[in-house]
Amino acid sequence: RAEFDDMALIERVERPADIDENLHPALVAEPGSHLAVDSVWPRYAWARGMTALRVAQTAATGARVALGGRTGPAGSWYLGRVPGVFEEIALAVRAGQPLFLIGGYGGAAGLVAELLTATDRAVPEQLTWEYQRRAPFSDELRGLYEQRGEPWWDYPEMVETIRAAGPEGVNPLLSAEQNRELWQTSDVGRILGLVIEGLRRLD
């Protein structure tokens, strides 16, 4: 835990209890450098750790802002179980946490906005397992989750959780019309206005 001039508070989220050097030599508590994903085990560690972090963030905050987010492979593949911003969005919606979804800049947030506004119930390709299994070691990662008895929240279930919430369920701090505007606009002033207006209604 560290504080920086009262502007930010950083708290450490410990690695899952079953992730250690017995699984793979690189899985030390405090690696000296960035953990390279050169086999399924480092990706498994990243996936479990990032999910644990996002679950803790969701529990500790009153609302979430989602913007951008890589979905591979145009930039590069993500390191966790699923695209990180997509997982953050799904966790927030599942928890009933107000979500300010800024979709006008694309990325995972833009794909979720597309999902929520589609009239034909179409699912963007990047939000499917068929697409995302191309990320390095994905099939092995999924098999490892199953082998170790860890829950694998699959893409169709995540998609349906988000879609079932609808505009007002995703963020009850804004009206359905305001949510749809936030999903589509790239006007920074308008985005800030909507986020501030919604946060003022947060209990």
Side-chain angles (χ1 to χ4, degrees):
R1 176 174 178 146
E3 296 185 33
F4 298 91
D5 299 326
D6 298 324
M7 295 178 63
L9 175 65
I10 299 175
E11 294 190 18
R12 179 186 175 91
V13 176
E14 295 298 330
R15 62 181 177 173
D18 62 319
I19 302 293
D20 58 29
E21 300 87 332
N22 292 320
L23 294 179
H24 188 280
L27 306 186
V28 296
E30 296 186 21
S33 61
H34 186 80
L35 185 61
V37 177
D38 54 7
S39 73
V40 67
W41 285 109
R43 185 162 179 212
Y44 179 73
W46 274 108
R48 294 282 310 285
M50 294 305 295
T51 296
L53 171 64
R54 292 171 183 133
V55 168
Q57 287 177 331
T58 302
T61 55
R64 180 176 291 277
V65 176
L67 169 68
R70 69 177 65 175
T71 57
S76 60
W77 290 106
Y78 49 92
L79 298 175
R81 187 184 67 85
V82 299
V85 171
F86 180 52
E87 183 173 50
E88 291 176 5
I89 290 168
L91 287 168
V93 174
R94 186 173 70 177
Q97 181 184 63
L99 170 70
F100 293 90
L101 180 64
I102 301 170
Y105 295 99
L111 290 171
V112 172
E114 182 182 334
L115 174 73
L116 285 164
T117 54
T119 57
D120 58 359
R121 294 185 63 83
V123 177
E125 181 186 22
Q126 295 97 319
L127 300 183
T128 67
W129 168 246
E130 289 73 19
Y131 181 91
Q132 295 297 341
R133 72 186 305 174
R134 293 185 287 168
F137 310 108
S138 285
D139 285 319
E140 298 96 322
L141 177 67
R142 185 166 186 166
L144 199 51
Y145 266 71
E146 294 171 356
Q147 175 187 330
R148 296 179 61 80
E150 291 295 328
W152 182 274
W153 197 14
D154 206 359
Y155 286 88
E157 297 164 345
M158 298 172 76
V159 163
E160 191 54 36
T161 295
I162 295 167
R163 189 157 47 192
E168 292 179 328
V170 165
N171 189 350
L173 301 177
L174 298 176
S175 69
E177 292 73 20
Q178 288 174 318
N179 273 309
R180 288 192 178 94
E181 182 180 2
L182 188 62
W183 299 347
Q184 296 171 359
T185 186
S186 57
D187 183 319
V188 175
R190 187 57 183 148
I191 289 169
L192 290 174
L194 287 167
V195 172
I196 291 170
E197 181 176 347
L199 289 177
R200 283 176 175 161
R201 299 170 182 160
L202 188 63
D203 293 332

